[in-house]
Amino acid sequence: MADPALYDTYNRAPLRFERGEGVWLTTESGERYMDFAAGIAVNSLGHAHPHLVAALKDQADKLWHLSNLYDIPGQEQLARRLAEATFADKVFFTNSGAEALECAIKTARRYQYVNGHPERFHIITFEGAFHGRTLATIAAGGQPKYLEGFGPKVEGFDQVPFDDLDALKGAITDATAAILIEPIQGEGGVRLVSKEFLRTLRQLCDENGLLLILDEVQSGVGRTGKLFAHEWAGITPDIMAVAKGIGGGFPLGACLATEEAASGMKAGTHGTTYGGNPLAMAVGNAVLDVVLADDFLEQVRDVALVFRQGLESLKDRFPDIIDEIRGEGLMLGIRTKVPNTELLMAMRGEHLLGVPAGDNVIRLLPPLVTTAEEAREGLARIERAAEALGEAALKKSA
Ligand SMILES: Cc1ncc(COP(=O)(O)O)c(C=O)c1O
């Protein structure tokens, strides 16, 4: 049981980890777990990656914090590198995904405002979305369970069903500013938006003077085997929210935009005390050193293939337990026939960590540095977990 001095907002597992290394976590009592949850896609380079540790320690000796009232060289460097590697011309740094989304939403509204359309502040979002827990991002996500009891929903978010083009077209009005979508819904159940749908979104935005905002907080920074998931569809957004993997465990987010989309964000329109802090910048730059290195993403794709094939054969072996394998790269989902928590608990029994998601899915988000051997070890643990579940079901029916 967690300490009663803490808010009761989490149903925490009774696991107390003390240290981590690569894909492994060790509890206070010395038990080792394979971490395929990776802090929900945060520990992109695993735990205690030597290059990140060195970068953080080095910066800690020099300078921790500077106000955004001054130039911060680490910010300039990271922004330039992100701009070079993506569609973006401009970057605003935040501490979290929700803040990156807040910046994205403000950027889109402000763009319409400075272009003579103050009435255009509505943003179209998709059923099953998750964009964070601030008041605006729970309104964007539109999930009743996250909105309940928190007063009037922030105005200006219009939600349409997932993958429903007609509904989307019908929702575009003279008050629409932008369309906001996760290329792969994470919390919604590792639901992939088709390449075709993303391309149509790009086209609809262009035709209607709307901005396309992508939420790549979970799917970005190499997670799908490309630097960003939208690259698989060959499109680019106008604005993109990034967080999680970019900091590898240090709180860091970013809102990326084209020059045009960011044209309304002038001095005084937005700000943050901690966003772009030198410690975060040192780690963010170190993450990019690794992720942008030659062959890194190719290795992610290779390991992802081993994983995917292994999961598909587990699905064939356990058709009463596993319904479907979803995802792209190392953002994978197992949709279960039994309640997802049952397989998740059985996996925990085998000392393997995953994350529950909507639509009865278990998310597997291994660190991007997971080796093929580690992937096979993880698969063996899932196999044992499924066997244990199958045996338990047999006993029950006997
Ligand atoms: C797609 C997506 N957007 C936004 C967020 C919010 O990020 P944060 O919890 O850092 O505010 C998350 C977090 O899970 C996410 O998965």
Side-chain angles (χ1 to χ4, degrees):
M1 279 279 284
D3 196 288
L6 288 165
Y7 259 45
D8 299 316
T9 45
Y10 296 106
N11 284 318
R12 297 175 200 265
L15 287 170
R16 297 176 85 87
F17 294 111
E18 194 173 52
R19 54 179 54 246
E21 192 184 353
V23 303
W24 296 96
L25 279 171
T26 307
T27 64
E28 287 174 351
S29 57
E31 295 188 325
R32 286 188 4 124
Y33 283 72
M34 287 197 99
D35 185 10
F36 285 3
I40 318 188
V42 167
N43 301 98
S44 46
L45 303 184
H47 298 280
H49 190 287
H51 186 60
L52 304 199
V53 173
L56 186 61
K57 282 185 174 165
D58 184 51
Q59 186 60 45
D61 280 337
K62 290 189 206 151
L63 182 65
W64 287 25
H65 181 74
L66 262 185
S67 160
N68 278 306
L69 295 173
Y70 309 106
D71 286 344
I72 300 176
Q75 269 188 32
E76 292 168 6
Q77 189 190 2
L78 186 54
R80 267 199 316 270
R81 294 174 81 187
L82 285 170
E84 247 166 54
T86 68
F87 71 97
D89 306 304
K90 297 277 195 189
V91 182
F92 183 93
F93 290 110
T94 69
N95 312 286
S96 67
E99 286 170 280
L101 262 304
E102 289 273 346
C103 178
I105 293 162
K106 286 175 79 174
T107 302
R109 287 185 171 182
R110 186 87 189 163
Y111 167 83
Q112 300 292 2
Y113 175 84
V114 297
N115 282 288
H117 292 292
E119 76 289 356
R120 284 195 180 185
F121 65 89
H122 282 248
I123 295 180
I124 298 175
T125 67
F126 293 84
E127 171 259 309
F130 183 78
H131 298 297
R133 298 294 201 116
T134 61
L135 289 169
T137 54
I138 55 175
Q143 298 201 37
K145 65 180 176 188
Y146 296 143
L147 284 158
E148 189 187 351
F150 294 117
K153 187 176 152 203
V154 171
E155 214 188 321
F157 294 96
D158 305 323
Q159 193 154 84
V160 296
F162 187 81
D163 201 24
D164 185 336
L165 199 52
D166 289 336
L168 170 66
K169 285 182 180 162
I172 297 173
T173 71
D174 291 344
T176 308
I179 297 174
L180 165 61
I181 193 165
E182 297 154 84
I184 303 177
Q185 283 190 350
E187 143 122 14
V190 192
R191 292 203 290 177
L192 239 80
V193 178
S194 72
K195 291 178 190 154
E196 199 177 76
F197 196 82
L198 281 177
R199 287 182 200 131
T200 307
L201 287 185
R202 178 68 274 173
Q203 198 184 334
L204 281 174
C205 284
D206 292 342
E207 287 167 4
N208 292 283
L210 313 180
L211 297 176
L212 179 60
I213 309 174
L214 294 182
D215 179 346
E216 291 240 24
V217 166
Q218 196 165 143
S219 59
V221 196
R223 174 70 31 207
T224 66
K226 295 266 191 200
L227 188 57
F228 289 101
H230 67 263
E231 294 171 29
W232 288 108
I235 57 131
T236 57
D238 301 292
I239 304 172
M240 177 169 72
V242 179
K244 291 188 182 267
I246 186 71
F250 199 94
L252 169 58
C255 176
L256 278 63
T258 61
E259 177 107 45
E260 164 89 2
S263 57
M265 301 302 277
K266 296 299 178 208
T269 53
H270 197 44
T272 166
T273 295
Y274 290 116
N277 158 297
L279 291 169
M281 295 301 98
V283 179
N285 273 302
V287 168
L288 281 197
D289 291 342
V290 177
V291 173
L292 294 179
D294 285 349
D295 301 338
F296 183 83
L297 293 175
E298 203 179 317
Q299 278 167 35
V300 171
R301 292 194 288 269
D302 288 349
V303 173
L305 197 64
V306 171
F307 223 121
R308 180 71 188 227
Q309 285 171 344
L311 288 173
E312 293 288 356
S313 58
L314 288 181
K315 181 190 120 186
D316 295 341
R317 246 200 85 192
F318 300 99
D320 296 337
I321 295 173
I322 300 178
D323 183 31
E324 188 190 332
I325 305 301
R326 299 174 169 179
E328 184 76 69
L330 288 177
M331 184 166 179
L332 290 161
I334 305 174
R335 187 167 196 275
T336 54
K337 284 200 179 147
V338 296
N340 59 351
T341 46
E342 283 186 18
L343 183 59
L344 200 64
M345 288 303 287
M347 281 163 50
R348 197 188 295 163
E350 297 297 329
H351 286 200
L352 176 75
L353 304 175
V355 194
D359 206 20
N360 210 33
V361 164
I362 295 171
R363 266 177 289 181
L364 296 172
L365 305 159
L368 306 181
V369 293
T370 302
T371 62
E373 198 184 322
E374 287 164 337
R376 281 190 278 270
E377 173 62 32
L379 287 163
R381 287 172 192 236
I382 299 170
E383 183 174 11
R384 291 202 295 272
E387 269 164 6
L389 263 192
E391 279 163 22
L394 269 184
K395 265 190 208 148
K396 227 194 240 171
S397 64

